[in-house]
Amino acid sequence: MQEQTTQTIPVDADMARLDALAKLMDSQFRIPGTQMRFGLDGLLGLIPYVGDLTGFVVSMILMATMVRRGAGVGIMLRMMSNFVLDALIGSIPLLGDLFDFGYKANRRNVQLLKAYYASGKKRPSAAWSMVMLAFMFVGFMMLLIWATWKLAALIAAWIFNMF
């Protein structure tokens, strides 16, 4: 009699860890009697600053894994836009808490990563991606400083024109 052998597909440890973390943060618990799921991100978001700090730490874990494995600037920007949207709207009292329960940025980012790595496309080195992000960050900061300066000048002119 021949033995049947089953071939096991190796599980990517990084992705398994990120999947578990995204589940814990976004969909670990279910509201009884419904299909609605939520995680620690929504619960911790109810505590001022604690939820924001926890979300930031999880975001950094996702980004660090992505950089270590090599990711393009496009995927990094898409993931960062999910983090930023979650953080900006999540900072609004009550509305932000409701948003945290529904948006699930961590789950979205893990799905983006899975699709990106499964695509088989050539990936740039992490160093190149980080250099590009650094340039974009510096450019954004310069734009933000310029806009703040212009806004301050407008407000100052408005105040001085009042007198």
Side-chain angles (χ1 to χ4, degrees), residues 2-19:
Q2 251 184 352
E3 285 185 30
Q4 277 188 323
T5 59
T6 57
Q7 186 179 15
T8 58
I9 300 170
V11 175
D12 183 331
D14 284 339
M15 282 298 143
R17 191 173 23 261
L18 292 180
D19 234 355

Side-chain angles (χ1 to χ4, degrees), residues 36-114:
M36 294 177 61
R37 301 192 72 80
F38 63 96
L40 289 180
D41 191 29
L43 292 175
L44 293 173
L46 297 171
I47 305 169
Y49 305 110
V50 173
D52 297 329
L53 182 61
T54 305
F56 178 75
V57 169
V58 171
S59 300
M60 289 302 100
I61 292 170
L62 284 167
M63 292 298 283
T65 301
M66 184 176 53
V67 168
R68 187 178 53 227
R69 293 180 60 140
V73 175
I75 188 76
M76 286 184 176
L77 288 174
R78 287 180 65 195
M79 289 180 66
M80 287 172 30
S81 68
N82 282 334
F83 296 143
V84 169
L85 182 64
D86 188 40
L88 285 177
I89 296 178
S91 66
I92 301 169
L94 297 176
L95 175 66
D97 297 325
L98 291 173
F99 183 77
D100 273 344
F101 279 100
Y103 187 64
K104 302 181 186 336
N106 299 306
R107 174 65 49 205
R108 289 173 188 264
N109 285 337
V110 169
Q111 294 304 325
L112 281 172
L113 272 179
K114 283 180 176 182

